[in-house]
C-alpha cells in the first residue's frame, strides 16, 4: 500500500548554470542546499516549519547527513527531490530524501538527522511536545535503501590539511557558520584531478558544534581506503565542529 500523499513532499528544480561545476554537474553544496530547502518546505507545509517554531523560540538544526548518488543532474536538466519523515524520537527525527532525474529515475538518496533546539539555551527540545506530538502523524514507511550515517574517526595526530577563518559569506541567519559551507570547504581540500577522473559516490557530514564569525578552523584529512577519506574540522585549535566522510568512485 502506498503512503498517503501528504506524507511525502515532492519539489522540482533545474540544474542552473551557476549551480554546476566544471564537469557540468550539480555541485554537492548546491544539492545539500536543495535538500535542506526541501526539508524546510515539507515541515512548513505541515505546520512545523522554522517560522512557526521561531514564534516559540525554537528552531531545527541538522545533526547528520548522508548522501549517496549514482549520478548528479547535468546543467539545465530538470530534477526533483522527494522527502519524508522516517522516525520521530523525543530529541531527534530521521528525515530521508530521494533525488529523481528528468526521466523519473531515482539517481540518489539521502538520510538526515535533525534536532529541535531552544534558541536561547541552544539545548535540544522534546519533539513529542511539538503541537501535541502531531509530527508523528507524518512518519512514513517509504524505503530509503542507503546506509544510515556512520561513525567517522580521524586520528588525533593527523595534521591540518588546510586552515581558514570564518568570514561573512560563511555565516547564516542563525549567526553561525552555515552547514553547507562546511561541505564546500571540505570538498575544496581535494585536487581538481580527482574530480576530473572520479565522482563522489557517498558523502557524509556529522555536525558536532557551532562555529562563528572569526573562528579559526583547521581541517584534518585522513585516507581510510583507496577512495575513502575522513575529515575533521576543529575551531580555535581544540573543539571539534564537524566530521565528514567522502567516498569517490
Amino acid at each position: 500500500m502506498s503512503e498517503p500523499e501528504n506524507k511525502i513532499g515532492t519539489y522540482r528544480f533545474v540544474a542552473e548554470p551557476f549551480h554546476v561545476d566544471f564537469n557540468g554537474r550539480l555541485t554537492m553544496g548546491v544539492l545539500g542546499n536543495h535538500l535542506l530547502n526541501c526539508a524546510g518546505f515539507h515541515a512548513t507545509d505541515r505546520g512545523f516549519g522554522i517560522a512557526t517554531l521561531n514564534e516559540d523560540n525554537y528552531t531545527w538544526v541538522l545533526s547528520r547527513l548522508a548522501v549517496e548518488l549514482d549520478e548528479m543532474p547535468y546543467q539545465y536538466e530538470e530534477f526533483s527531490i522527494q522527502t519524508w519523515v522516517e522516525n520521530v524520537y523525543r530529541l531527534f527525527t530521521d528525515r530521508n530524501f530521494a533525488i529523481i532525474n528528468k526521466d523519473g529515475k531515482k539517481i540518489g538518496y539521502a538520510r538526515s538527522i535533525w534536532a529541535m533546539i531552544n534558541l536561547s539555551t541552544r539545548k535540544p527540545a522534546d519533539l513529542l511536545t511539538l503541537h501535541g506530538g502531531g509530527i508523528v502523524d507524518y512518519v512514513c514507511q517509504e524505503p530509503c535503501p542507503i546506509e544510515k550515517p556512520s561513525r567517522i574517526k580521524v586520528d588525533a595526530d593527523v595534521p591540518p590539511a588546510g586552515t581558514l577563518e570564518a568570514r561573512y559569506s560563511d555565516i547564516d541567519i542563525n549567526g553561525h557558520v552555515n552547514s553547507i559551507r562546511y561541505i564546500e570547504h571540505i570538498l575544496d581540500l581535494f585536487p581538481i584531478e580527482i574530480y576530473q577522473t572520479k565522482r563522489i559516490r557517498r558523502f557524509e557530514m556529522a555536525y558536532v558544534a557551532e562555529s562563528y564569525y572569526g573562528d579559526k578552523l583547521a581541517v584534518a584529512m585522513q585516507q581510510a581506503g583507496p577512495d575513502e577519506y575522513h575529515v575533521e574540522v576543529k575551531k580555535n585549535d581544540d573543539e571539534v565542529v564537524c566530521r565528514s566522510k567522502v567516498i569517490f568512485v
Side-chain angles (χ1 to χ4, degrees):
M1 180 183 295
S2 61
E3 290 286 346
E5 189 171 328
N6 70 331
K7 289 189 176 184
I8 301 176
T10 302
Y11 308 94
R12 291 172 174 79
F13 302 94
V14 175
E16 303 285 359
F18 47 88
H19 288 162
V20 302
D21 65 10
F22 68 91
N23 290 309
R25 298 286 180 177
L26 196 73
T27 68
M28 183 63 71
V30 171
L31 178 62
N33 270 321
H34 286 330
L35 296 176
L36 269 57
N37 283 335
C38 289
F41 299 151
H42 186 263
T44 297
D45 291 344
R46 288 150 185 81
F48 48 94
I50 284 180
T52 301
L53 293 183
N54 285 171
E55 293 176 0
D56 297 319
N57 207 37
Y58 293 101
T59 193
W60 289 110
V61 292
L62 179 62
S63 174
R64 296 286 188 94
L65 177 66
V67 183
E68 199 164 304
L69 297 160
D70 293 327
E71 62 181 80
M72 273 284 200
Y74 195 71
Q75 180 174 262
Y76 295 116
E77 283 186 354
E78 296 181 354
F79 65 99
S80 60
I81 296 175
Q82 291 183 337
T83 185
W84 62 95
V85 176
E86 181 181 48
N87 294 298
V88 177
Y89 306 97
R90 190 170 69 87
L91 296 180
F92 62 92
T93 179
D94 296 327
R95 173 181 288 281
N96 299 334
F97 305 84
I99 300 97
I100 304 168
N101 71 7
K102 64 182 187 303
D103 299 319
K105 177 186 176 183
K106 291 180 178 177
I107 58 173
Y109 290 89
R111 290 183 175 273
S112 62
I113 300 174
W114 299 75
M116 182 175 67
I117 64 167
N118 184 292
L119 284 167
S120 300
T121 65
R122 312 304 290 182
K123 300 295 184 183
D126 189 341
L127 285 171
L128 298 180
T129 65
L130 174 64
H131 299 318
I135 189 174
V136 300
D137 295 338
Y138 296 102
V139 171
C140 176
Q141 300 306 312
E142 179 75 11
C144 184
I146 69 170
E147 294 291 329
K148 293 183 177 182
S150 59
R151 185 171 181 269
I152 304 167
K153 185 178 185 300
V154 175
D155 293 340
D157 59 352
V158 175
T163 59
L164 58 103
E165 184 173 332
R167 291 300 193 183
Y168 160 76
S169 62
D170 296 311
I171 308 303
D172 66 15
I173 196 169
N174 293 316
H176 55 67
V177 175
N178 182 276
S179 56
I180 301 303
R181 290 294 285 155
Y182 292 114
I183 295 176
E184 295 169 336
H185 289 316
I186 287 167
L187 294 181
D188 280 343
L189 292 174
F190 298 95
I192 198 167
E193 290 78 14
I194 287 185
Y195 298 108
Q196 288 171 336
T197 58
K198 298 179 183 293
R199 64 174 179 84
I200 299 171
R201 169 62 177 166
R202 183 176 172 92
F203 185 90
E204 296 187 28
M205 287 294 297
Y207 297 97
V208 180
E210 297 171 329
S211 59
Y212 303 91
Y213 180 84
D215 279 346
K216 306 296 190 300
L217 303 177
V219 188
M221 181 168 65
Q222 183 173 18
Q223 190 163 357
D227 292 299
E228 180 175 333
Y229 300 84
H230 295 187
V231 181
E232 184 175 77
V233 180
K234 289 184 177 180
K235 70 176 182 180
N236 305 324
D237 296 326
D238 60 353
E239 185 177 2
V240 175
V241 174
C242 63
R243 297 185 179 94
S244 178
K245 177 187 292 185
V246 188
I247 300 175
F248 291 93
V249 67

